Amino acid sequence: MIREDLRSRRIAVIADFVVNPGSALYGKRQAPPTDFMDALVERGWGIMKMPPHVASPESCERLIEVSVGDLIDYRKNGYDVVIAAVEDLPQQGVWLDAMAACYKRVCKDMPPIVIIRSNATAADVDALDSVLAPAA
């Protein structure tokens, strides 16, 4: 039985650093908490958190492949997907190069990418919304 999705059929791919800014994983580089995540939820976005950018590429390879497979399935089933890449993090915090390689291997286009700051706020959610807005 398929349930209706309460997230408005939109998925934002988010860096672990944005979801968990106070994590000990990031040592001194801790972003201040912002209202970005709250705004995503309030606007009906589903969230796919990528593995921490400080992890080893080898330990994340399979997780990234599975995540890309899930994103391909979401898009095939009518979901909008946007990657929120963090401008000042390695691999933009979402393993962007590894994701691109996975998409290339399966001959699929990557979802749109929106560049955000590591201390993104609710106003930055507008950029994600605007990628999905129909052209005027």
Side-chain angles (χ1 to χ4, degrees), residues 4-35:
E4 183 56 37
D5 192 328
L6 301 176
R7 298 171 295 193
S8 303
R9 301 183 73 79
R10 296 181 300 167
I11 303 293
V13 179
I14 304 292
D16 178 76
F17 185 78
V18 174
V19 177
N20 300 305
S23 173
L25 284 172
Y26 305 114
K28 294 180 182 178
R29 180 169 168 88
Q30 293 184 359
T34 69
D35 55 358

Side-chain angles (χ1 to χ4, degrees), residues 83-97:
I83 298 172
V86 181
E87 68 183 356
D88 56 343
L89 293 179
Q91 291 291 310
Q92 287 68 52
V94 292
W95 298 92
L96 208 49
D97 290 346

